[in-house]
């Protein structure tokens, strides 16, 4: 652990190795038990990284802490991808979708905080998008509209707008989000390009039956 504090470049090397190994297992053909084991390996490594990040923060090394965020969440995205593949094999389609979306969202936060990458032409995001197009049917998304009555900054806890932190940016290895604590619901509408792809229509009517939109299995109420 201390070696990384002296030389963060070694951390990048270790990450590249971990990511390469994990990605070799992120194919549908790879044994489900091997994929499950890799997910555990990644999560164990993430615990180590979390300790390392605390050390960087303690020493006021903000760039290094932010680097750990990017490494953590890149690996977490691969873990979600692996979990999606496991879900597909175990016939858990809804969970598979949610894990794909988690991978996309979390990797998006890495890209937007990395000076070297853009969202438009990112190899890994393209890969995740191909899963979406190939493996899942067309889904219908909902968007929740409303008036935010109370929200605060996740970094400093002050009311939104009262501090200089920017939503989506990293501060000492943590991402800044706007935490909504009170919202007045105005409307729920269907949208093509949703902010939240977890928020989707679950069932459709088909021949007088209510069926799951993913599996087409009847939903018995
Ligand atoms: Zn703040």
């Amino acid at each position: 652990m201390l070696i990384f504090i002296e030389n963060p470049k070694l951390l990048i090397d270790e990450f590249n190795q971990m990511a390469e190994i994990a990605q070799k297992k992120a194919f549908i053909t790879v044994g489900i038990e091997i994929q499950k084991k890799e997910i555990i390996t990644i999560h164990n490594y993430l615990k180590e990284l979390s300790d390392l990040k605390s050390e960087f923060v303690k020493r006021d090394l903000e760039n290094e802490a932010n680097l750990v965020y990017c490494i953590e969440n890149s690996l977490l995205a691969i873990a979600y991808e692996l979990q999606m593949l496991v879900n597909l094999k175990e016939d858990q389609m809804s969970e598979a979708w949610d894990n794909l979306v988690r991978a996309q969202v979390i990797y998006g936060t890495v890209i937007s905080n990395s000076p070297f990458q853009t969202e438009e032409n990112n190899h890994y995001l393209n890969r995740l998008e191909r899963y979406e197009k190939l493996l899942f049917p067309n889904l219908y998304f909902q968007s929740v509209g409303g008036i935010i009555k109370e929200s605060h900054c996740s970094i400093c806890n002050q009311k939104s707008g009262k501090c200089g932190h920017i939503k989506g940016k990293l501060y000492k290895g943590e991402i800044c989000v706007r935490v909504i604590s009170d919202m007045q619901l105005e409307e729920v509408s269907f949208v093509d390009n949703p902010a939240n792809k977890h928020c989707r229509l679950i069932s459709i009517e088909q021949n007088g039956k209510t069926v799951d939109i993913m599996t087409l299995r009847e939903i018995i109420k």
Side-chain angles (χ1 to χ4, degrees), residues 185-200:
L185 189 68
E186 292 278 289
E187 46 149 20
V188 177
S189 52
F190 285 96
V191 289
D192 282 333
N193 216 332
N196 178 355
K197 286 199 267 191
H198 294 294
C199 195
R200 64 180 180 86

Side-chain angles (χ1 to χ4, degrees), residues 116-178:
F116 316 108
Q117 302 189 69
T118 59
E119 204 153 321
E120 283 68 40
N121 214 345
N122 184 275
H123 177 72
Y124 189 63
L125 272 191
N126 289 345
R127 174 186 173 87
L128 296 178
E129 203 184 326
R130 286 203 299 273
Y131 280 123
E132 187 179 328
K133 297 270 183 297
L134 252 154
L135 296 179
F136 296 91
N138 262 333
L139 297 170
Y140 303 95
F141 300 103
Q142 286 156 317
S143 158
V144 177
I147 299 163
I148 296 167
K149 297 179 92 179
E150 211 180 285
S151 67
H152 63 267
C153 166
S154 65
I155 301 295
C156 66
N157 262 324
Q158 290 189 80
K159 280 196 172 174
S160 292
K162 298 271 179 222
C163 66
H165 296 121
I166 300 161
K167 196 174 96 176
K169 288 279 150 228
L170 289 178
Y171 297 93
K172 290 185 181 169
E174 299 299 330
I175 197 149
C176 173
V177 293
R178 186 178 180 189

Side-chain angles (χ1 to χ4, degrees), residues 16-28:
N16 283 333
Q17 261 174 24
M18 286 277 302
E20 196 187 330
I21 293 168
Q23 283 186 305
K24 279 188 181 143
K25 296 171 186 171
F27 293 98
I28 197 113

Side-chain angles (χ1 to χ4, degrees), residues 31-219:
I32 189 167
E33 73 286 3
I34 293 165
Q35 292 175 326
K36 283 181 174 175
K37 209 172 149 203
E38 185 63 23
I39 294 168
I40 295 170
T41 304
I42 292 175
H43 281 283
N44 288 337
Y45 183 62
L46 291 181
K47 278 180 214 143
E48 283 177 37
L49 280 183
S50 155
D51 294 341
L52 178 63
K53 192 160 75 179
S54 308
E55 287 300 318
F56 281 143
V57 171
K58 229 187 274 169
R59 289 167 167 78
D60 222 14
L61 297 165
E62 176 151 31
N63 288 339
E64 286 77 2
N66 291 348
L67 172 68
V68 175
Y69 176 94
C70 291
I71 289 176
E72 279 177 329
N73 287 284
S74 299
L75 289 173
L76 193 55
I78 303 174
Y80 282 135
E81 180 190 358
L82 286 163
Q83 189 59 52
M84 174 199 69
L85 295 171
V86 167
N87 292 147
L88 289 169
K89 293 174 187 181
E90 292 185 336
D91 198 12
Q92 296 172 314
M93 299 308 165
S94 205
E95 288 82 355
W97 172 260
D98 283 333
N99 281 313
L100 174 59
V101 174
R102 285 185 189 114
Q104 289 175 329
V105 170
I106 216 148
Y107 200 69
T109 70
V110 173
I111 292 174
S112 60
N113 281 287
S114 159
F116 316 108
Q117 302 189 69
T118 59
E119 204 153 321
E120 283 68 40
N121 214 345
N122 184 275
H123 177 72
Y124 189 63
L125 272 191
N126 289 345
R127 174 186 173 87
L128 296 178
E129 203 184 326
R130 286 203 299 273
Y131 280 123
E132 187 179 328
K133 297 270 183 297
L134 252 154
L135 296 179
F136 296 91
N138 262 333
L139 297 170
Y140 303 95
F141 300 103
Q142 286 156 317
S143 158
V144 177
I147 299 163
I148 296 167
K149 297 179 92 179
E150 211 180 285
S151 67
H152 63 267
C153 166
S154 65
I155 301 295
C156 66
N157 262 324
Q158 290 189 80
K159 280 196 172 174
S160 292
K162 298 271 179 222
C163 66
H165 296 121
I166 300 161
K167 196 174 96 176
K169 288 279 150 228
L170 289 178
Y171 297 93
K172 290 185 181 169
E174 299 299 330
I175 197 149
C176 173
V177 293
R178 186 178 180 189
V179 183
I180 297 169
S181 44
D182 189 14
M183 181 168 132
Q184 188 183 329
L185 189 68
E186 292 278 289
E187 46 149 20
V188 177
S189 52
F190 285 96
V191 289
D192 282 333
N193 216 332
N196 178 355
K197 286 199 267 191
H198 294 294
C199 195
R200 64 180 180 86
L201 201 64
I202 303 284
S203 62
I204 46 167
E205 296 294 318
Q206 211 174 55
N207 306 323
K209 287 176 180 167
T210 305
V211 299
D212 183 294
I213 206 163
M214 292 232 192
T215 63
L216 300 182
R217 292 188 183 116
E218 188 176 0
I219 298 171

